[in-house]
Amino acid sequence: MAAVGSIIPPLEARPIKNTICLFDVDNTLTPARQPVSPEMHTLLSALRHKCAIGYISGSDLIKQQEQLGTPALPVTTLFDFCFAENGLTAYRMGKLLAGHSFIQWLGEEKYQELVNFCLVYVAGLKIPVKRGTFVEFRNGMINISPVGRNASNAERHAFEAYDKEHHIRHDFVQALKKKFPDYGLTYSIGGQISFDVFPTGWDKTYCLKHLEAEKTLSGVDYSTIHFFGDKTLEGGNDYEIYEDKRTVGHSVKDPADTLRTLKEMFDL
């Protein structure tokens, strides 16, 4: 297999040039908020010599560097397309593309009303533990975590199990929909401990416009877009792009399932 960081053919010179594989990160390429395995890195490098690859995540680029990059290699050099924050922050072949801002779209007054409601709601929750960073501002969205993003790995696993039984995130989302019906927002549950809030239409399908633009940039028309994700049921943050008519959706259980599927599909 090709070594990680080896010289990559131009997009237009890939053997399967009209195909791209696009991946969710947590529980698809890596365990939730954990580093990618050497085996996955090696397989993705081999795949990249056959077709274009990219990832799409609601998290910011810093978190993707922690999970997918290495101390010597920026994550933006390991994928052809890097879509942080659902593609609101996007890189193509290591170069930053134009982005958009959630707070500019919503406005400061409405933004503060939204955040204040979330903080009061969290204050009223009775859950086993609470840590810090309940609201995380990102360029294209905000991320809400009832337990707090500072929770340890063990606390994340414990909250995920508790949430499956008590529907903490689901009920939080319903409260937000009732409170702000005219804000034009979408609420998407993903990962173990949080959910994203962003303008309707700024879900993971947002990144597809960057792939559609490739025909003008390099002449490559991505007529086949394979998407791999784990939260593909309605309400999950992979649902919209998984169901989109422009993609071929693959629902995976974990990184091991992703590895197995890629090996079978591309003879790796």
Side-chain angles (χ1 to χ4, degrees), residues 53 111 118 127-128 169 175 183 198 215:
I53 66 170
Y111 171 74
C118 290
I127 55 179
R169 289 183 291 177
Y183 270 29
F198 48 84
K215 188 173 183 179

Side-chain angles (χ1 to χ4, degrees), residues 23-36 40 55-60 63-64 66-68 138 143 149 153 156 160 169 189-194 196 204 227-232 237-238 252-256 258:
F23 303 92
D24 168 52
V25 178
D26 281 347
N27 292 322
T28 299
L29 293 180
T30 78
R33 289 295 297 127
Q34 297 300 302
V36 68
M40 182 67 80
Y55 71 78
I56 171 69
S57 173
S59 296
D60 57 38
K63 294 182 180 64
Q64 285 125 44
E66 293 171 353
Q67 291 179 254
L68 299 173
R138 300 172 182 172
N143 179 265
R149 296 199 61 86
N153 285 329
R156 285 168 175 262
E160 183 179 30
R169 289 183 291 177
I189 296 172
Q192 295 176 293
I193 64 168
S194 64
D196 297 326
K204 287 185 176 180
F227 171 75
F228 302 81
D230 68 307
K231 293 289 192 296
T232 56
N237 65 353
D238 295 326
V252 295
K253 297 180 293 185
D254 52 33
T258 303

Side-chain angles (χ1 to χ4, degrees), residues 211-260:
L211 300 182
E212 291 169 344
E214 192 59 35
K215 188 173 183 179
T216 301
L217 293 172
S218 67
V220 177
D221 179 9
Y222 289 120
S223 54
T224 302
I225 303 172
H226 291 288
F227 171 75
F228 302 81
D230 68 307
K231 293 289 192 296
T232 56
L233 296 178
E234 189 169 5
N237 65 353
D238 295 326
Y239 174 76
E240 289 84 2
I241 191 169
Y242 175 79
E243 291 287 341
D244 194 282
K245 64 181 181 181
R246 293 168 289 181
T247 69
V248 180
H250 305 269
S251 188
V252 295
K253 297 180 293 185
D254 52 33
D257 196 19
T258 303
L259 284 168
R260 179 191 57 77

